[in-house]
């Protein structure tokens, strides 16, 4: 269904539209979809695509716009506990591992293969979630990988190694009361700490868990893994010298660090640091640029992928119709809006989709704070993994471990409380064991 050798998959001349395909008749089916975002643009996109699906299949779609974070999670869990799960819900890969293991999610293999066939490419292995029978249990759609944002009018070349990162922070640090060379976030309970933290750990060859046969073992406090974790925390200690204390700083404050001239750098998965500066009319807003997180030696990046998608529930009343809807989303006139409707600017996992003329046109039409096609994080999306896919078979406890922000626990103990790195890491390892035992 995708393009030929002379056209990128998904070129406007080459792809069929959804109304040209022979979709199944679901006139008696009612589909409930729990969505994450409730922005006006996102609501409009869902309702538009839902209307198209109703026109070609006869199904009825009801949307619940439950909101980010705990909003959609709580509503999804509430309906599941009541024995009336939605047909479809937003689903991060870590939660897909848990729900899939519990048997709540339908077999999405045909859906995943449909997307792969349509776009003439395969998903990266770590972007799929499969159960022990090798069945896909959800549809991965987008990723938001961690990004280092920096002032290019101050920092000539972004750091690629940890040594360069520390040197950059030292060179441009104006000290207490001035613009700092670095931003360290030390609040427990903020998942952004773990996103950057685990990216450092994995890039340094460390693991949280490993497989011992069929058993899942916590290894962060053992052997080479402990050494890798200690090296990461020692690097954090070096960088923290060039940062404000930032005790209990939230993600909103993190995104304001560059715009408010509190720091020359910050971390985020999307474009919020640049957006905030533009909205404040900062004269350096155009100079705020993204780059991949530095690694120990400038190579072997493995980042937190923050893989997200949609999942159909096995126990729902109209699962077959839900799976058909997920196939329907593969077509560009449906899929494209998913990646541009919301201000998160979600990055597609299907590279073929990003290679289309339509995608480029939409990207270039975005407001200035979102449009940076020349250095977008597409370049390092493929290196993203999550706690669930750190091991094979997947870690079915990944969602609860991630919610506990275990990296942030160790980081704060070391940077704020002055605890010895090995001691702090060992304590957190015991916390992780409590999740899996």
């Amino acid at each position: 269904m995708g393009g030929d050798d002379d056209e990128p998959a998904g070129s406007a001349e080459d792809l069929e539209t959804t109304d040209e395909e022979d979709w199944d008749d679901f006139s008696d089916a009612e589909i409930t979809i729990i969505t994450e975002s409730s922005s006006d643009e996102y609501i409009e996109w869902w309702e538009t695509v839902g209307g198209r699906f109703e026109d070609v299949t006869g199904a009825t779609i009801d949307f619940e716009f439950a909101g980010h974070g705990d909003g959609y999670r709580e509503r999804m869990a509430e309906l599941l506990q009541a024995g009336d799960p939605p047909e479809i819900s937003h689903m991060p890969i870590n939660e897909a591992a848990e729900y899939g293991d519990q048997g709540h999610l339908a077999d999405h293999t045909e859906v995943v293969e449909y997307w792969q066939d349509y776009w003439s490419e395969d998903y990266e292995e770590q972007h799929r979630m499969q159960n022990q029978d090798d069945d896909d249990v959800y549809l991965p759609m987008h990723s938001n990988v961690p990004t280092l944002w920096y002032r290019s009018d101050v920092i000539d070349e972004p750091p690629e190694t940890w040594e360069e990162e520390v040197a950059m922070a030292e060179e441009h640090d104006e000290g207490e009361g001035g613009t700092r060379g670095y931003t360290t976030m030390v609040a427990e309970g903020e998942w952004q700490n773990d996103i950057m933290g685990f990216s450092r750990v994995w890039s340094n060859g460390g693991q949280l868990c490993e497989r011992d046969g069929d058993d899942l073992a916590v290894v962060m406090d053992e052997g080479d893994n402990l050494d890798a974790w200690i090296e990461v925390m020692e690097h954090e200690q070096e960088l923290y010298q060039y940062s404000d204390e930032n005790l209990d700083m939230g993600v909103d404050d993190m995104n304001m660090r560059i715009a408010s001239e509190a720091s020359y750098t910050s971390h985020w998965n999307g474009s919020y640091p640049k957006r905030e500066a533009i909205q404040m009319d900062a004269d350096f807003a155009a100079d705020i640029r993204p780059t991949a997180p530095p690694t120990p030696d400038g190579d072997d990046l493995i980042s937190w992928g923050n893989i997200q998608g949609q999942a159909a529930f096995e126990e729902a009343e109209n699962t077959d119709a839900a799976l058909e809807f997920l196939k329907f989303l593969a077509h560009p006139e449906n899929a494209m809006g998913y990646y541009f409707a919301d201000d998160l600017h979600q990055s597609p996992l299907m590279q073929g989709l990003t290679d289309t003329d339509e995608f480029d046109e939409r990207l270039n039409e975005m407001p200035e704070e979102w449009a940076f096609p020349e250095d977008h994080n597409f370049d390092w999306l493929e290196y993203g993994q999550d706690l669930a896919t750190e091991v094979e078979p997947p870690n079915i406890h990944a969602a609860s471990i991630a919610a506990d922000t275990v990296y942030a626990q160790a980081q704060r103990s070391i940077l704020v409380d002055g605890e010895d790195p090995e001691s702090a890491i060992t304590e957190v390892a015991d916390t992780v064991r409590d999740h899996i035992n």
Side-chain angles (χ1 to χ4, degrees), residues 400-431:
S400 64
I401 295 171
D404 212 8
T405 59
V406 293
Y407 181 91
Q409 289 184 38
Q411 179 199 45
R412 187 180 177 97
S413 295
I414 294 164
L415 300 185
V416 178
D417 300 333
E419 191 169 350
D420 174 72
E422 182 171 350
S423 174
I425 292 165
T426 300
E427 290 175 9
V428 168
D430 289 337
T431 299

Side-chain angles (χ1 to χ4, degrees), residues 342-403:
D342 190 71
D343 60 7
L344 288 176
H345 187 53
Q346 301 156 136
S347 302
L349 291 173
M350 287 278 103
Q351 188 65 46
L353 196 151
T354 65
D355 288 340
T356 63
D357 293 339
E358 183 178 358
F359 189 89
D360 285 341
E361 289 171 4
R362 286 181 180 242
L363 190 64
N364 289 316
E365 289 171 358
M366 294 179 74
E368 181 184 358
E369 60 265 37
W370 303 115
F372 44 95
E374 72 281 1
D375 48 12
H376 195 279
N377 60 20
F378 297 157
D379 290 343
W380 58 98
L381 283 180
E382 64 182 290
Y383 305 118
Q385 68 177 26
D386 287 75
L387 287 179
T389 53
E390 179 192 47
V391 294
E392 177 62 36
N395 182 351
I396 62 173
H397 308 284
S400 64
I401 295 171

